[in-house]
């Protein structure tokens, strides 16, 4: 039973060519992209190696297709659960291929069990590969300190709210606290960071970031907004019309369920949408 049709709103397709087609369409509307080959928590060496190979081929395909896209990876897809050394070797291979293709690799931030290891590996890689950036989650108390360290070395940071279920001993739970911390992180990155990415669909936060940028004299070419494929497309296009750089995170591949589940959890309307589609499908 193929339930991919349920995820179609958030996932560009199961294969590379569908994803390339989607990115081409986004590029035609003035949007940049970051392609994510879905997969996480891989515990089999062969599977992690196949993911590296698929990403390397994707970097080549981005170049030959002439589309405007970088890539986003998850370290647990590239073997972090198997061994840190193995994951580092895999990342080095990818970063070298990306450098040959003059491209850039974002590291997504996963659940808090991986935060420290992700950042340790990031700092290590960044010394030799400046074409790598990392996501930071505004809901974590530790993030201000992490962002300061990242800004100190001139690394590119993608600030997002955070998509995993974390305990209140380590993470803010109230939206107004998460927003306040998000803005604080953006402020640090505007003061000392390098081309930060502001990853949110929250209009209140976007307006606050725009205000902050204006107050600090940060012109729109010095940062970018990032949003997820399928979420608030009109807002994405409006920001482009206003002269901002906007990059869309475009996931694709057969391992779509965990990503899809996080999108459902974020909004209960999505669950109703899925239930309605399932009901219609079962009657068809
Ligand atoms: P919020 O959830 O408050 O949403 C604001 C508005 O956006 C909503 O009112 C609604 O209109 C729309 N919206 C948001 N989510 C929606 C959904 N699922 N379905 C439909 N509408 C929705 N997280 C993480 O932990 N690690 C990471 O590496 C990343 N990477 C990442 C990259 C990019 C480019 C983005 C945009 C986001 C991430 N995230 C992430 C996810 C992020 O942490 C967060 O979970 C989502 O962006 C939702 O939070 P918002 O800031 O959009 O606000």
């Amino acid at each position: 039973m193929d339930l991919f049709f349920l995820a179609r709103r958030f996932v560009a397709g199961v294969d590379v060519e569908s994803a390339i087609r989607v990115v081409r369409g986004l590029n035609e509307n003035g949007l940049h992209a970051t392609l994510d080959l879905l997969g996480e928590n891989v515990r089999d060496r062969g599977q992690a190696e196949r993911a590296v190979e698929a990403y390397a081929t994707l970097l080549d395909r981005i170049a030959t297709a002439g589309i405007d896209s970088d890539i986003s990876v998850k370290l647990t897809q590239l073997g972090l659960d198997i061994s840190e050394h193995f994951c580092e070797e895999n990342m080095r291979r990818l970063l070298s291929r990306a450098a040959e293709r003059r491209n850039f690799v974002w590291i997504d931030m996963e659940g808090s069990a991986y935060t420290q290891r992700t950042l340790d590996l990031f700092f290590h890689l960044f010394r030799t590969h400046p074409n790598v950036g990392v996501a930071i989650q505004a809901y974590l108390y530790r993030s201000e300190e992490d962002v300061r360290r990242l800004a100190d070395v001139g690394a590119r940071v993608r600030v997002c709210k955070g998509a995993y279920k974390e305990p209140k001993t380590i993470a803010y739970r109230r939206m107004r606290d998460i927003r306040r911390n998000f803005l604080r992180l953006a402020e640090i990155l505007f003061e000392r960071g390098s081309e930060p990415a502001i990853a949110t669909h929250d209009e209140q936060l976007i307006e606050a970031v725009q205000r902050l940028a204006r107050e600090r004299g940060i012109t729109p070419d010095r940062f970018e907004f990032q949003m997820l494929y399928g979420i608030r497309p009109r807002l994405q296009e409006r920001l482009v019309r206003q002269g901002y750089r906007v990059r869309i995170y475009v996931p694709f591949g057969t391992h779509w369920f965990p990503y899809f589940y996080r999108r459902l959890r974020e909004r209960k309307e999505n669950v109703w949408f899925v239930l309605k589609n399932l009901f219609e499908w079962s009657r068809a």
Side-chain angles (χ1 to χ4, degrees):
M1 175 166 57
D2 185 6
L3 293 178
F4 178 72
F5 71 96
L6 294 175
R8 192 168 281 287
R9 174 178 165 202
F10 301 113
V11 178
V14 290
D15 55 60
V16 177
E17 291 313 312
S18 318
I20 301 274
R21 256 196 313 279
V22 165
V23 170
R24 222 187 273 288
L26 294 170
N27 290 169
E28 278 162 12
N29 288 323
L31 295 153
H32 308 261
T34 187
L35 275 165
D36 167 45
L37 170 61
L38 291 163
E40 52 201 277
N41 297 112
V42 169
R43 297 223 152 69
D44 172 78
R45 281 184 103 83
Q47 204 181 332
E49 279 159 0
R50 282 193 294 280
V52 178
E53 201 42 56
Y55 263 122
T57 310
L58 177 63
L59 284 164
D60 294 342
R61 187 70 190 100
I62 289 171
T64 54
I67 54 168
D68 176 344
S69 180
D70 55 26
I71 61 169
S72 287
V73 302
K74 286 190 173 48
L75 293 186
T76 66
Q77 182 182 18
L78 303 182
L80 189 61
D81 284 328
I82 299 165
S83 114
E84 277 161 35
H85 176 70
F86 174 63
C87 184
E88 180 183 335
E89 290 305 304
N90 287 337
M91 274 304 290
R92 286 194 189 281
R93 260 184 70 197
L94 264 190
L95 289 168
S96 301
R97 180 70 69 95
E100 281 165 27
R101 295 299 194 177
R102 295 178 192 285
N103 212 326
F104 190 86
V105 181
W106 287 101
I107 299 180
D108 289 351
M109 188 57 80
E110 302 177 65
S112 58
Y114 298 104
T115 314
Q116 191 59 47
R117 279 183 285 164
T118 301
L119 288 171
D120 288 346
L121 190 50
F122 175 82
F123 279 108
H124 199 53
L125 292 166
F126 185 72
R127 271 190 234 139
T128 45
H129 293 85
N131 60 330
V132 62
V134 67
I136 287 288
Q137 297 151 328
Y139 63 18
L140 292 184
Y141 302 147
R142 59 174 286 165
S143 289
E144 179 167 343
E145 205 176 308
D146 291 332
V147 161
R148 286 186 190 283
R149 287 177 57 218
L150 289 160
D152 283 346
V153 297
R156 289 196 66 197
V157 175
R158 170 205 293 156
V159 188
C160 62
K161 283 182 183 168
Y164 298 80
K165 203 170 164 58
E166 302 292 0
K168 62 170 183 273
T169 47
I170 62 164
Y172 297 107
R173 290 282 186 77
R174 284 187 310 196
M175 189 52 86
R176 70 160 190 252
D177 294 332
I178 300 173
R179 281 197 180 116
R180 187 175 31 77
N181 203 38
F182 192 117
L183 264 184
R184 177 80 198 112
L185 303 182
E187 196 175 11
I188 297 167
L189 291 167
F190 280 164
E191 267 166 25
R192 310 155 45 191
S194 162
E195 278 190 88
I198 305 297
T200 182
H201 319 87
D202 181 336
E203 280 199 76
Q204 189 180 322
L205 208 42
I206 289 171
E207 279 164 22
V209 168
Q210 288 172 318
R211 252 193 324 273
L212 184 70
R214 274 195 301 273
E215 281 163 20
R216 300 295 156 94
I218 306 287
T219 46
D221 56 319
R222 288 181 49 202
F223 68 101
E224 68 185 30
F225 287 110
Q226 293 191 353
M227 295 191 201
L228 302 178
Y229 173 66
I231 301 185
R232 314 283 321 256
R234 278 192 291 278
L235 175 59
Q236 299 168 4
E237 285 168 18
R238 193 170 83 216
L239 288 170
V240 172
R241 281 198 304 278
Q242 289 172 356
Y244 291 98
R245 190 162 80 211
V246 182
R247 186 175 302 277
I248 308 303
Y249 183 106
V250 180
F252 72 97
T254 50
H255 298 286
W256 48 267
F257 190 76
Y259 177 86
F260 174 61
Y261 178 71
R262 285 194 289 280
R263 303 291 78 81
L264 288 193
R265 253 195 27 185
E266 275 158 5
R267 284 187 80 70
K268 57 178 179 305
E269 289 88 333
N270 291 342
V271 179
W272 289 117
F273 176 77
V274 166
L275 289 177
K276 187 169 142 275
N277 276 297
L278 262 180
F279 180 67
E280 281 166 9
W281 169 78
S282 68
R283 288 183 358 142

